[in-house]
Amino acid sequence: MAFVTSTKMLRDAKEGHYAVAAFNVENMEMIKAVLAAAEEMQAPVMLQTTPSTVRYGTLETFVAMVRAEAARRDIPVCLHLDHGDSFELAVRAIKAGYTSVMIDGSKLPFEKNAALTKRVVDVARAVGVPVEAELGKVGGKEDDLEVSEDRYTDPEEAGRFAEQTGVSSLAVAIGTAHGFYIGEPVLDKDRVKDIAARVEAPLVLHGASGLSESDVRECVSNGMCKVNFATELRAAYTDAVKKLLAYDPKTYDPKKLGIVGIDAVKDQVIARIKMCGCGGKAFI
């Protein structure tokens, strides 16, 4: 199926009361794993790369790999820039062929965040690319992004922000954190309902790695339309490679390492698609 933007899949999710599962990928093997799982589940899917990942592999490399693999699959596939940290990077991603971008100005004061987001939205809208932004701070650490304190998103501010920027989707802070949790997360799930009542754009849940299935399902039921997963995929891939090398230290063929990594990531992706309720939604 077509290599698509996130616009229709997120609007369909909002109307259908499920969420699109979005997965951070680091290499060709993870791309293959995510798409194989999504096709098996007949789910729309978003693949994501962070700034550090594109420095490692380049924007153009990931576009080429995802386009080639998506062409072999009978599902809608979107490639998204996750936590874009500058106007320049967002524009470069659009020019390279990304079909969705995030500009993360959440560390800035409200007005500066809104101004930066609006600047990206104006450029992206001219070429039909949707833009995700973030309001409030999701705690924890992911790649270059580190936040030591959570700042929950204010529903009234979220409404003003969405109106001022025209953003296509909005990541909000409800007590989640990037990376694996230390202790039990305390989530303000009712806040999702309050924000959804004021924001027309689909809402995005960051920091879902390590949340229970019931937590994810309740957040989706309350209005989250996209859920991001990253850390558990990386851990599954790395652990599978470690186990193979422990079992057979003489293994030297990188393809064998990649195969066990693909299988481990695929299992994780299938489980998360089920959590989000987007299985069987590829053609809605």
Side-chain angles (χ1 to χ4, degrees):
M1 194 171 176
F3 186 41
V4 300
T5 73
S6 60
T7 302
K8 184 178 186 304
M9 59 173 73
L10 292 184
R11 286 293 175 184
D12 288 346
K14 183 178 174 69
E15 293 173 7
H17 305 290
Y18 60 90
V20 173
F23 301 98
N24 285 52
V25 293
E26 311 296 334
N27 55 23
M28 179 190 73
E29 287 77 14
M30 293 181 79
I31 292 169
K32 285 178 174 288
V34 171
L35 293 185
E39 185 173 50
E40 183 174 318
M41 296 296 293
Q42 283 296 284
V45 70
M46 294 179 67
L47 292 87
Q48 307 188 143
T49 60
T50 60
S52 70
T53 300
V54 297
R55 285 197 300 272
Y56 172 75
T58 82
L59 294 162
E60 292 77 12
T61 297
F62 278 98
V63 169
M65 287 193 295
V66 173
R67 277 189 178 276
E69 291 297 321
R72 301 173 53 239
R73 308 291 180 179
D74 192 24
I75 52 172
V77 177
C78 173
L79 177 59
H80 176 74
L81 175 68
D82 189 29
H83 288 292
D85 53 10
S86 69
F87 172 82
E88 291 76 17
L89 179 59
V91 171
R92 283 174 48 218
I94 293 168
K95 288 181 177 178
Y98 275 61
T99 52
S100 179
V101 297
M102 178 186 184
I103 182 65
D104 184 359
S106 60
K107 62 188 177 186
L108 301 172
F110 180 94
E111 292 300 340
K112 289 186 177 180
N113 185 2
L116 173 61
T117 299
K118 180 67 162 58
R119 189 179 175 207
V120 174
V121 167
D122 287 345
V123 172
R125 181 179 289 156
V127 291
V129 173
V131 177
E132 177 184 326
E134 184 170 321
L135 185 66
K137 294 183 175 68
V138 177
K141 186 178 190 304
E142 182 177 17
D143 290 340
D144 300 330
L145 176 71
E146 184 167 8
V147 178
S148 59
E149 296 181 359
D150 293 337
R151 185 172 71 80
Y152 287 59
T153 303
D154 178 85
E156 189 275 331
E157 279 193 350
R160 286 197 291 119
F161 185 88
E163 185 176 351
Q164 285 183 28
T165 62
V167 73
S168 307
S169 58
L170 183 63
V172 295
I174 61 165
T176 54
H178 294 108
F180 286 129
Y181 288 91
I182 300 173
E184 191 73 18
V186 179
L187 306 182
D188 187 351
K189 299 167 192 171
D190 288 337
R191 188 176 295 260
V192 181
K193 292 181 181 178
D194 293 340
I195 297 171
R198 293 167 170 81
V199 176
E200 173 63 23
L203 302 182
V204 180
L205 179 65
H206 284 235
S209 296
L211 292 184
S212 68
E213 182 173 349
S214 61
D215 279 339
V216 172
R217 287 184 179 276
E218 188 173 351
C219 287
V220 171
S221 177
N222 286 356
M224 289 294 187
C225 303
K226 172 181 175 245
V227 182
N228 288 10
F229 301 99
T231 305
E232 64 268 66
L233 272 63
R234 295 170 179 170
Y237 188 98
T238 303
D239 288 347
V241 171
K242 288 177 180 177
K243 288 177 183 177
L244 174 59
L245 292 175
Y247 173 76
D248 185 2
K250 293 183 179 180
T251 300
Y252 64 87
D253 186 347
K255 293 188 293 297
K256 292 184 178 180
L257 304 180
I259 287 169
V260 297
I262 288 171
D263 290 343
V265 170
K266 183 181 175 184
D267 289 343
Q268 292 286 327
V269 172
I270 288 173
R272 270 88 194 146
I273 287 173
K274 290 177 180 177
M275 281 186 194
C276 291
C278 56
K281 308 294 187 183
F283 301 107
I284 288 180

